[in-house]
Amino acid sequence: MKKRYYIAEFQTFIKVNKLTQKKVADYLGTSTAFVSQIIKGKCDLPDEKLLKLRESDWDTSMFDSSVNTGVIINNSGRDFNNNHIDNRQYYSDSPDVLRKQIDDLERTIAERERLLVEKEERIKEKDSQIKEKDSQIKEKDSQIKTLLSILNKQ
């Protein structure tokens, strides 16, 4: 079943990270119209786009607790296909429900830790690239100084 993220959480994501719709759209590879539709609740935030946002350096914590099943339930406790919907998970303190919540949180923590490790690896890679560029710049500076000293002697 497709997860649906509340409009407020996506708006909070944009506000907390001080982003524009264009910046989010560019990062996700979508149009600003699509981002606008997500904000207005006309479109769902696809799981692959949420994953891409989570891989960014932006704060995505507002999405952690806003997962909904995306099923619209009428007053009879059934969805529109007349299937019974068990909502006890939202109101129960039973051990099974609590265990599921703990498992969900542990999966979220594991995913966050995985993302942190990936970000740390990217940072280390960029640091090594910067060091390499820095050494190249120092080498070029040395060459320039040598050439300048040769020119000054003439």
Side-chain angles (χ1 to χ4, degrees):
M1 195 167 290
K2 190 170 186 175
K3 295 178 182 177
R4 184 181 183 102
Y5 296 91
Y6 296 113
I7 299 166
E9 277 71 14
F10 196 75
Q11 290 171 338
T12 301
F13 164 75
I14 289 175
K15 185 174 183 179
V16 164
N17 292 290
K18 298 178 182 167
L19 300 170
T20 62
Q21 290 181 22
K22 180 170 178 19
K23 189 165 186 173
V24 174
D26 289 346
Y27 180 78
L28 294 176
T30 64
S31 66
T32 53
F34 179 72
V35 172
S36 177
Q37 289 175 343
I38 293 171
I39 291 170
K40 293 176 183 174
K42 295 180 179 180
C43 287
D44 289 338
L45 177 61
D47 290 340
E48 65 274 4
K49 299 298 184 191
L50 176 66
L51 183 58
K52 189 167 183 172
L53 288 176
R54 287 187 182 276
E55 290 172 350
S56 72
D57 292 328
W58 295 320
D59 178 5
T60 58
S61 61
M62 63 285 306
F63 294 116
D64 292 345
S65 62
S66 64
V67 178
N68 186 341
T69 60
V71 176
I72 300 172
I73 302 170
N74 59 25
N75 291 336
S76 68
R78 297 182 177 276
D79 66 13
F80 287 106
N81 292 325
N82 208 27
N83 297 318
H84 179 70
I85 303 298
D86 184 2
N87 282 328
R88 286 180 292 173
Q89 66 182 4
Y90 300 110
Y91 308 109
S92 175
D93 287 335
S94 75
D96 291 338
V97 171
L98 294 174
R99 181 75 245 161
K100 183 184 178 314
Q101 290 173 341
I102 290 170
D103 291 343
D104 290 344
L105 288 172
E106 287 174 347
R107 276 193 296 278
T108 300
I109 290 168
E111 177 65 15
R112 287 286 176 133
E113 288 173 348
R114 183 188 67 78
L115 291 173
L116 281 173
V117 167
E118 287 177 6
K119 285 180 182 180
E120 287 173 359
E121 289 172 3
R122 288 195 308 253
I123 289 170
K124 287 178 184 176
E125 183 180 317
K126 287 184 180 185
D127 281 348
S128 68
Q129 290 172 353
I130 289 170
K131 287 178 183 176
E132 184 179 323
K133 296 279 184 188
D134 196 35
S135 68
Q136 290 173 354
I137 289 171
K138 287 179 182 178
E139 184 180 326
K140 295 291 182 187
D141 281 347
S142 173
Q143 291 172 354
I144 289 170
K145 286 179 184 178
T146 304
L147 291 172
L148 284 173
S149 68
I150 292 171
L151 286 173
N152 287 335
K153 288 180 184 178
Q154 293 178 355

